[in-house]
Amino acid sequence: MFGRKSKPNPTIWVDGIVLTFDLKHSWWTFTYRGLDFISYESRLNLPLQEELDSILANVSSIEGEMKSRIATYFQSTPEIKASSGQLTHVNIASFADSNTVGVFWTGDASWGDMAVEFTIREEQIIDETWGD
């Protein structure tokens, strides 16, 4: 009641894309063609629109492989619904430096806090990290 009002998150518009800096977490977010993008750093090197389109195409082309890896990971735990997994966002923090992005998946309540990040370069998964 007597607290200070929180500051609004800074927002920038670039070529029709609304970029927002989350003050609480110190990261950038934006949505492009229905997919959420995040840079988990206070600096943002925004890919060109052609590069964003390429990222979307690459993610789409290996979506089946990501789903297959998720199913394999949960194969020994039938109480977890691997099929409920969904892509939540793409981390572009390393795109400018290494041409890689992190593709994050989570699932329904059966997954609990579990998530997986697939690191991709072009149309290949080069790493995967599971954790909660």
Side-chain angles (χ1 to χ4, degrees), residues 24-94:
K24 181 178 178 183
H25 297 103
S26 296
W27 64 43
W28 288 95
T29 64
F30 64 94
T31 301
Y32 181 72
R33 297 197 175 176
L35 185 58
D36 292 333
F37 288 80
I38 292 178
S39 178
Y40 289 117
E41 298 183 8
S42 57
R43 71 173 179 92
L44 173 68
N45 191 340
L46 182 65
L48 300 172
Q49 201 162 9
E50 296 82 21
E51 292 171 320
L52 290 171
D53 289 336
S54 178
I55 290 168
L56 289 174
N58 292 337
V59 168
S60 179
S61 74
I62 61 171
E63 186 171 347
E65 183 180 352
M66 290 185 280
K67 287 179 179 179
S68 175
R69 289 182 183 214
I70 290 168
T72 300
Y73 184 84
F74 288 130
Q75 190 171 356
S76 63
T77 49
E79 65 275 9
I80 296 177
K81 297 176 190 167
S83 62
S84 74
Q86 60 184 344
L87 194 157
T88 60
H89 64 275
V90 175
N91 178 5
I92 59 167
S94 62

